[in-house]
Amino acid sequence: SSFTKLLNENIKNISLIKTDLLRLAFREAIVKDNTINTNLLKQNPDYINYILSYYKFANKYDTEYIKVIDTVDFGPKDSKLFENSIMICLGYPNITPEEVVSNWRKYDTELDWTFKKTDEELIEIASEEIKNSKRLQEECKNYNVKFIDTSHERNNVLKELLDDILKEIEW
């Protein structure tokens, strides 16, 4: 989300697709009691096809804008699903859980999922996220997808990535 905000500030003709919101809307449309686990929803073929259809539709009819999908719903193995696209995965495989929590708290707002969690709960979640980042980093190597390590000096890393993307899209 931080990087997509940075892109949005620096590229004027950007169309941002936030799948967190699409996932919640999809969940609400199919589950009236809202008890479905959103992680399981990501494995639902109807949901995945919904996102792909949305993306393809946007590419076909919204041609003057660069589409940016801010998502955790797709990984490096899915990179071939998005034609003429640049896939970039971000993670923090080289940081401690305590450092992750400190970073989360630094940018925490009342709207963030981290806000009402205790530090102990967040440390447990951060440990899993670090493991996931390490798996993601390996998967990126296997599928030749760019992986950006945001473990340290996150803002500088994101700024460098922005500069690289601007060059790559010849902005």
Side-chain angles (χ1 to χ4, degrees), residues 58-144:
N59 271 339
K60 184 175 180 180
Y61 295 104
D62 194 11
T63 56
E64 62 191 72
Y65 289 94
I66 296 169
K67 273 48 124 218
V68 175
I69 301 178
D70 181 355
T71 187
V72 297
D73 297 333
F74 295 94
K77 67 178 175 25
D78 303 312
S79 60
K80 300 296 183 225
L81 297 173
F82 300 94
E83 301 169 5
N84 303 317
S85 298
I86 303 167
M87 179 178 271
I88 302 168
C89 297
L90 287 82
Y92 35 86
N94 301 305
I95 193 171
T96 68
E98 293 77 14
E99 289 172 305
V100 171
V101 172
S102 175
N103 287 339
W104 285 345
R105 290 292 189 218
K106 190 185 314 183
Y107 302 102
D108 223 2
T109 70
E110 288 183 30
L111 298 176
D112 292 316
W113 64 271
T114 54
F115 189 75
K116 293 184 180 178
K117 301 270 186 203
T118 67
D119 283 356
E120 293 76 23
E121 290 172 310
L122 290 177
I123 285 173
E124 189 175 319
I125 294 167
S127 296
E128 283 303 309
E129 290 298 318
I130 292 166
K131 288 179 193 172
N132 290 337
S133 287
K134 289 177 182 180
R135 278 193 294 274
L136 181 63
Q137 188 175 34
E138 279 305 307
E139 191 177 336
C140 284
K141 285 179 191 172
N142 294 337
Y143 288 93
N144 199 27

